Amino acid sequence: MKKSWLLIVIVLALLALPACAQKGALSSFTDNGDGTFTILDVENSPLDGGLLITVDKNEDFVNMQITGNDGTETVEYFKFIPAEQTCERYKYVSMMGTGFYYTYDYAAGELTQIMNMEGEDSTESSKESGRFEGAQSETQELVDKLVAYFEEVHGMTLAEAVE
């Protein structure tokens, strides 16, 4: 009889572990009390500077705002939408005095769209001017680094973070 109860307790404990692990996965993040969690990481970022990461469980996205080494936010970011396996990247080009929104499909490994600040599709003009390939390879490299960084440093996938 004792063995049966012990076996039941062990099985129940094993079933509870994934739930406990998931709750603890965001334990290093600040719970903002509104379904969002944030953390500023200026030490482990794979990019120049740091990252202000926001996990939004209501809207199902993980935003990585690029910061300076001191945590000062820049305008550039990577917004991951795990359900669609896409990333919206905002890149500011100071020489042009403007920014661009890139849509990157990280499951397929391809840049699917470039929008200018006015919301106009610049994909074809970027291809015609020879800027598309560079934007794709740079975005792919950065997204790959950020996905690997998030899993390694925070111990969960982007999809697990928004569950």
Side-chain angles (χ1 to χ4, degrees):
M1 187 67 162
K2 287 183 180 180
K3 288 182 182 180
S4 297
W5 281 108
L6 181 61
L7 184 59
I8 291 171
V9 169
I10 291 172
V11 168
L12 289 174
L14 289 174
L15 290 173
L17 275 178
C20 292
Q22 187 61 32
K23 286 182 182 177
L26 290 173
S27 62
S28 61
F29 286 68
T30 299
D31 184 345
N32 299 316
D34 61 357
T36 64
F37 299 79
T38 54
I39 190 168
L40 175 63
D41 187 350
V42 293
E43 294 181 20
N44 300 307
S45 171
L47 309 180
D48 292 335
L51 291 170
L52 174 61
I53 302 171
T54 302
V55 174
D56 190 321
K57 290 183 171 279
N58 299 317
E59 300 293 324
D60 297 330
F61 69 79
V62 177
N63 191 66
M64 298 186 194
Q65 185 86 32
I66 299 173
T67 71
N69 290 329
D70 62 353
T72 305
E73 294 176 42
T74 69
V75 295
E76 296 189 10
Y77 65 83
F78 293 80
K79 182 179 178 181
F80 292 88
I81 304 168
E84 298 171 8
Q85 294 188 316
T86 61
C87 176
E88 175 185 281
R89 175 188 182 197
Y90 177 72
K91 179 179 180 174
Y92 183 75
V93 182
S94 58
M95 289 178 40
M96 296 174 68
T98 190
F100 295 91
Y101 297 94
Y102 299 166
T103 302
Y104 182 76
D105 180 335
Y106 58 89
E110 64 184 22
L111 189 60
T112 58
Q113 186 176 49
I114 299 175
M115 302 283 284
N116 65 22
M117 288 295 298
E118 290 77 36
E120 300 164 339
D121 191 332
S122 301
T123 307
E124 286 307 313
S125 63
S126 295
K127 287 179 179 178
E128 291 168 5
S129 66
R131 293 188 320 263
F132 186 84
E133 293 301 320
Q136 173 159 306
S137 62
E138 179 186 54
T139 301
Q140 181 174 14
E141 177 184 344
L142 295 174
V143 166
D144 288 349
K145 282 182 180 180
L146 289 170
V147 169
Y149 150 83
F150 193 82
E151 290 180 15
E152 183 178 311
V153 172
H154 300 291
M156 64 189 131
T157 65
L158 294 166
E160 290 169 339
V162 297
E163 287 179 346

